[in-house]
Amino acid sequence: MAVRVRVRLRTGGKEVVTTALVNTGFETERPQVLIPLNLARALSLWPPPENAYLIELGTAGGPVREYVVPDAVRIAVVTNDRETSEVICDAVISHIEEEVIINDKLSEELGIVILAAGSGKWRFINDDTNLIRLSETPQYW
């Protein structure tokens, strides 16, 4: 099991609540959320807007080309007892991935601290140190 959190994604007038995989190996210079193509359609990010640009990403399966839409998404983590402030981030639209994925910079800005990646245990940086949160069930798009 990995760490997955429930997130609310907003773009313009669209809003979706789903789960997102927290991936510290998804390293970039800016906060980014990888969004599967079907979710990009639901958020009106596909077809890509005029400000989108193509990048090549290195993956375990080899390089892939994906669209990036700068500052396209407002994202917050939603739990049963609290909700983070929204963070504005880039959307990376994936034709391959079926899960939403939060990168290293975004997880830090959202205050996510991974306690045990293998068992899906985490907390917010400002949670009581005795509080342990558990991973959400994956949601595939």
Side-chain angles (χ1 to χ4, degrees):
M1 175 178 293
V3 173
R4 288 179 178 84
V5 296
R6 181 154 305 282
V7 294
R8 187 187 65 243
L9 304 162
R10 291 187 194 190
T11 58
K14 305 285 182 166
E15 178 177 308
V16 173
V17 176
T18 187
T19 59
L21 175 67
V22 180
N23 185 344
T24 60
F26 176 9
E27 301 173 82
T28 65
E29 296 297 315
R30 295 172 44 90
Q32 293 186 331
V33 60
L34 186 137
I35 298 175
L37 185 60
N38 287 336
L39 179 54
R41 285 186 182 112
L43 291 170
S44 297
L45 293 174
W46 194 263
E50 288 185 19
N51 65 331
Y53 59 91
L54 272 172
I55 60 166
E56 187 170 285
L57 300 171
T59 71
V64 295
R65 292 174 54 98
E66 305 291 6
Y67 279 98
V68 175
V69 185
D71 298 327
V73 175
R74 293 186 320 272
I75 185 171
V77 177
V78 180
T79 66
N80 62 354
D81 65 334
R82 67 186 283 194
E83 183 174 315
T84 66
S85 297
E86 290 185 332
V87 173
I88 297 172
C89 64
D90 300 342
V92 178
I93 301 170
S94 176
H95 292 79
I96 299 168
E97 183 58 54
E98 295 179 329
E99 274 191 271
V100 174
I101 302 176
I102 295 173
N103 82 332
D104 60 342
K105 296 286 190 291
L106 182 54
S107 65
E108 186 171 327
E109 286 203 25
L110 290 168
I112 298 168
V113 177
I114 297 173
L115 301 174
S119 55
K121 295 176 183 168
W122 68 281
R123 73 168 56 102
F124 289 113
I125 196 162
N126 55 2
D127 274 342
D128 182 279
T129 55
N130 294 323
L131 180 60
I132 296 175
R133 298 177 186 275
L134 300 177
S135 185
E136 297 285 335
T137 303
Q139 187 170 350
Y140 301 104
W141 287 89

